[in-house]
Amino acid sequence: MRRLLPRFPHHTAAALALFATAAPSFAETVMGFIYVGPKDDYGYNQAHAEGGAGVGKVPGVKVVEEASVPETNAVQETMLNMVNIDGASVLFPTSFGYFDPHILKVAKEAPEVQFLHCGGLYDEKKHPKNVGSYFGWIYEAQYVNGIVAGHASKSGKLGFIAAKPIPQVLLNINAFALGARKANPKATVKVVFTGDWAMPVKEAEAANSLIDQGIDVLTCHVDSPKVITQTSERRGAYVCGYHANAAALAPKGYLTGAEWDWSSVYSKYAKMIQDGKSLMNGGIPHLIRGGFKEGFIKMSPYGPAVSDAAKADADAAKAAFMAGTLEVFTGELKDNEGNVKVPAGGALKRDDPAIESMSWLVEGVLGSTK
């Protein structure tokens, strides 16, 4: 399940405002959700399943769902069943690999149904009008993770376990490192790439190896942080979560976590649809993004090991994101090979196309993209 997010045009303020303020009506809308893995993985799939459960509470919405559907023709069958048997008028096939060819094929067969895909792949020049994309700037939350981690670390050595060195992953690693170095300018973040999105054995090996090297706070970008979280707790290290709240797995060492708020996102989509807006009539933008300010992401509650100073700094960062006054990547900013990536006085803003093609690691990160 890849998370690579290609470039696409900037979103307008008007589109984001529309997404945030759509008004409800109460005609029944059947919304279908499809997950590539189990709904209780403490990760990517659980986050979407929690979103489905949340939108199911909106008056006039009926939710149908299916978990552990592979990125094969099986998802086409699931989509068609939801449309033809369950009466779904909008589908959220949530995994990256569902998009091409599966969503595109079924969308042409069911032009009256709206297909909304998590990942930002829609191209108006190539794709049907009843297909749209959404995703979130979760690197903002990883920056806050980094602030808390930087405060908590006694060694100044932090670890990041990731699947692959693709732009979205590098974006999260760099944001986490910059947050950590805001709290402790001497902090370092060592990165281990496992090679794929769900590699529990390699994830456990990476966590143990990093802790053996004196690293005392871990975070990650993999599909399910479960193994990493449990290993950290067993070894007495701290951990920051990703995707969903995994505090139950590490009651002592869980600091906070970068979470999706899909319940908020899906509820806003439901209200727009109930109000008669659609992808086809132009009422719903085909490409939508958001961060803290737009209600796409949130933080896990602070764990018992988080200091008051850490909470204050993290809360201040969240408030600045909400106000639209904080950019993570401001200059002068160098990569970990000494090259200037953002000049003094400059910034890579969250809707800058360069964000979508990040191929480098920031100063303070120990590791390579090769």
Side-chain angles (χ1 to χ4, degrees):
M1 188 169 30
R2 277 68 60 198
R3 303 279 175 263
L4 178 61
L5 302 180
R7 300 183 186 185
F8 49 81
H10 297 182
H11 305 299
T12 65
L16 290 174
L18 172 64
F19 190 77
T21 60
S25 66
F26 299 101
E28 180 173 81
T29 302
V30 180
M31 304 176 76
F33 293 86
I34 307 170
Y35 321 116
V36 74
K39 293 163 53 179
D40 58 353
D41 65 352
Y42 288 93
Y44 184 81
N45 297 290
Q46 180 170 320
H48 282 293
E50 290 174 356
V55 73
K57 298 176 183 178
V58 173
V61 171
K62 177 183 177 182
V63 168
V64 295
E65 59 184 358
E66 187 170 342
S68 300
V69 180
E71 295 172 330
T72 66
N73 288 345
V75 73
Q76 295 184 32
E77 182 177 351
T78 296
M79 286 188 280
L80 288 170
N81 285 342
M82 287 182 171
V83 172
N84 296 325
I85 298 174
D86 300 311
S89 60
V90 57
L91 295 181
F92 292 90
T94 58
S95 186
F96 187 95
Y98 290 160
F99 189 79
D100 190 356
H102 309 298
I103 288 175
L104 297 179
K105 183 175 185 296
V106 178
K108 292 177 182 178
E109 297 177 17
E112 75 287 356
V113 176
Q114 298 183 76
F115 295 79
L116 291 157
H117 176 252
C118 184
L121 292 176
Y122 177 79
D123 184 338
E124 64 179 355
K125 297 178 181 178
K126 298 191 298 183
H127 298 144
K129 288 187 177 180
N130 60 327
V131 172
S133 294
Y134 61 96
F135 208 74
W137 288 300
I138 201 168
Y139 77 88
E140 294 179 351
Q142 278 287 21
Y143 178 79
V144 179
N145 262 352
I147 291 174
V148 175
H151 274 280
S153 176
K154 294 180 174 61
S155 67
K157 298 178 180 179
L158 291 76
F160 200 116
I161 299 169
K164 300 178 180 183
I166 63 173
Q168 176 64 19
V169 174
L170 300 178
L171 184 60
N172 279 334
I173 294 168
N174 289 340
F176 179 78
L178 290 170
R181 287 167 72 85
K182 177 174 175 57
N184 175 5
K186 296 182 179 180
T188 60
V189 177
K190 186 164 186 177
V191 176
V192 175
F193 294 104
T194 64
D196 214 338
W197 298 105
M199 304 287 285
V201 173
K202 288 187 177 181
E203 290 159 14
E205 290 173 348
N208 279 311
S209 176
L210 290 169
I211 294 168
D212 288 344
Q213 295 171 57
I215 285 165
D216 55 4
V217 185
L218 295 179
T219 193
C220 63
H221 185 156
V222 297
D223 271 3
S224 173
K226 185 175 182 178
V227 168
I228 294 165
T229 304
Q230 291 174 320
T231 304
S232 299
E233 181 80 349
R234 189 180 71 251
R235 294 291 307 276
Y238 295 124
V239 64
C240 291
Y242 187 62
H243 289 313
N245 187 352
L249 301 176
K252 295 180 181 179
Y254 195 82
L255 298 174
T256 185
E259 294 187 43
W260 302 105
D261 194 356
W262 295 132
S263 179
S264 167
V265 174
Y266 294 149
S267 295
K268 290 171 182 175
Y269 269 121
K271 291 173 182 176
M272 285 192 288
I273 291 165
Q274 289 177 330
D275 200 43
K277 297 179 174 65
S278 72
L279 296 167
M280 295 80 90
N281 67 23
I284 298 176
H286 282 85
L287 293 170
I288 200 75
R289 279 290 190 87
F292 280 115
K293 185 177 181 181
E294 295 79 19
F296 274 63
I297 58 173
K298 59 183 178 180
M299 300 301 299
S300 302
Y302 296 122
V306 179
S307 68
D308 289 341
K311 291 177 183 177
D313 283 354
D315 287 345
K318 285 189 288 184
F321 281 126
M322 291 294 292
T325 59
L326 176 60
E327 294 290 347
V328 171
F329 298 97
T330 58
E332 184 183 74
L333 189 63
K334 296 180 180 179
D335 66 15
N336 64 357
E337 297 179 349
N339 303 303
V340 175
K341 291 297 184 178
V342 183
L348 279 180
K349 297 185 178 181
R350 62 183 189 163
D351 59 352
D352 191 316
I355 285 283
E356 304 296 338
S357 59
M358 188 168 284
S359 60
W360 47 275
L361 292 167
V362 75
E363 185 176 19
V365 176
L366 307 178
S368 172
T369 61
K370 300 179 178 63

